[in-house]
Amino acid sequence: DAGITQSPRYKITETGRQVTLMCHQTWSHSYMFWYRQDLGHGLRLIYYSAAADITDKGEVPDGYVVSRSKTENFPLTLESATRSQTSVYFCASSEILAGGRILAKNIQYFGAGTRLSVL
Amino acid sequence: QKEVEQDPGPLSVPEGAIVSLNCTYSNSAFQYFMWYRQYSRKGPELLMYTYSSGNKEDGRFTAQVDKSSKYISLFIRDSQPSDSATYLCAMRGQGAQKLVFGQGTRLTINP
């Protein structure tokens, strides 16, 4: 199916465990993003990537690691999960170029989210 | 103080009412303003996209941007139960790819 997919949709883990959340997009968009969504905070950017092998920190990167070896995949790893990382995680992608020109209007498309509980 | 402030609600109105959702922001560099709609247990989806100041209308939805006041609004006319969702404002500067989101307003339209 075309679009952006996240897996798993639900995950329960224990503190100290390593967890990897997957994100896959079929549009070949250049940019990909990871957000977490918590009550009272809205969507907060964890990490983003402008292209394969190019990643950068967002607002709340501590405790997370990302990689982007292929354009279509952008996994997010919690190296040692903590209870404060219980949240809903969303992946998004966007494209800034079309026909070699920068798009004035670029839209972020979101996946359905991964609901993570750290016990 | 957050860069973008949005009243989280919840907001509950009867069907057919006009709904007004608002965000204020502090960064004068923001040029692009968006409203995303998020249904329960789903990802956000783009609803409205505006550039700089002015109004944009799409069916029952109108987005307004007042850059002088650093204030954006989303109006929903003839609200329907299917409009029940969380509405998030988002914005970015010229050339920027990162969006800054408001906290989201949870809206319920009662039949």
Side-chain angles (χ1 to χ4, degrees):
Chain A
D1 288 341
I4 183 164
T5 55
Q6 293 183 235
S7 61
R9 291 295 314 279
Y10 303 91
K11 177 74 177 177
I12 300 173
T13 191
E14 296 175 341
T15 55
R17 297 227 179 205
Q18 183 179 82
V19 177
T20 296
L21 309 184
M22 305 301 293
C23 179
H24 175 78
Q25 52 108 353
T26 60
W27 295 303
S28 299
H29 283 170
S30 301
Y31 275 80
M32 296 188 75
F33 307 83
W34 273 108
Y35 295 90
R36 59 178 291 174
Q37 187 173 38
D38 306 284
L39 274 173
H41 292 281
L43 283 166
R44 291 184 292 175
L45 184 64
I46 304 170
Y47 269 96
Y48 68 103
S49 168
D53 298 322
I54 301 175
T55 62
D56 208 347
K57 295 178 181 179
E59 181 185 355
V60 289
D62 292 344
Y64 303 95
V65 174
V66 293
S67 62
R68 194 160 175 215
S69 57
K70 293 183 177 181
T71 300
E72 61 267 29
N73 296 325
F74 191 39
L76 176 74
T77 297
L78 288 66
E79 292 192 302
S80 179
T82 64
R83 289 195 180 89
S84 65
Q85 292 178 310
T86 292
S87 186
V88 183
Y89 291 84
F90 288 99
C91 178
S93 71
S94 69
E95 185 52 73
I96 63 167
L97 293 176
R101 301 176 70 174
I102 294 177
L103 290 168
K105 176 179 179 178
N106 69 75
I107 300 167
Q108 287 191 21
Y109 297 90
F110 285 80
T114 294
R115 191 170 293 266
L116 176 68
S117 295
V118 183
L119 305 178
Chain B
Q1 185 183 1
K2 295 183 179 181
E3 263 190 304
V4 179
E5 295 278 0
Q6 182 178 6
D7 186 342
L11 183 61
S12 181
V13 302
E15 183 176 354
I18 296 174
V19 177
S20 172
L21 305 171
N22 311 295
C23 289
T24 59
Y25 63 96
S26 58
N27 190 341
S28 58
F30 289 146
Q31 296 278 349
Y32 296 89
F33 304 91
M34 286 137 272
W35 287 94
Y36 279 81
R37 179 174 60 194
Q38 184 179 20
Y39 291 115
S40 181
R41 307 220 169 223
K42 301 286 187 182
E45 56 180 355
L46 184 69
L47 184 62
M48 299 288 282
Y49 191 110
T50 54
Y51 170 67
S52 195
S53 287
N55 293 0
K56 184 174 182 179
E57 188 173 320
D58 184 0
R60 297 183 294 108
F61 298 89
T62 300
Q64 284 187 353
V65 176
D66 182 349
K67 290 190 69 181
S68 62
S69 301
K70 295 189 178 67
Y71 188 87
I72 70 170
S73 300
L74 176 71
F75 296 96
I76 307 174
R77 293 185 301 279
D78 188 25
S79 55
Q80 304 294 310
S82 59
D83 295 328
S84 298
T86 295
Y87 290 81
L88 301 117
C89 64
M91 47 199 78
R92 66 176 178 88
Q94 183 79 26
Q97 298 307 313
K98 294 187 291 183
L99 293 178
V100 181
F101 284 86
Q103 297 96 308
T105 299
R106 187 173 177 181
L107 173 67
T108 301
I109 309 298
N110 301 303

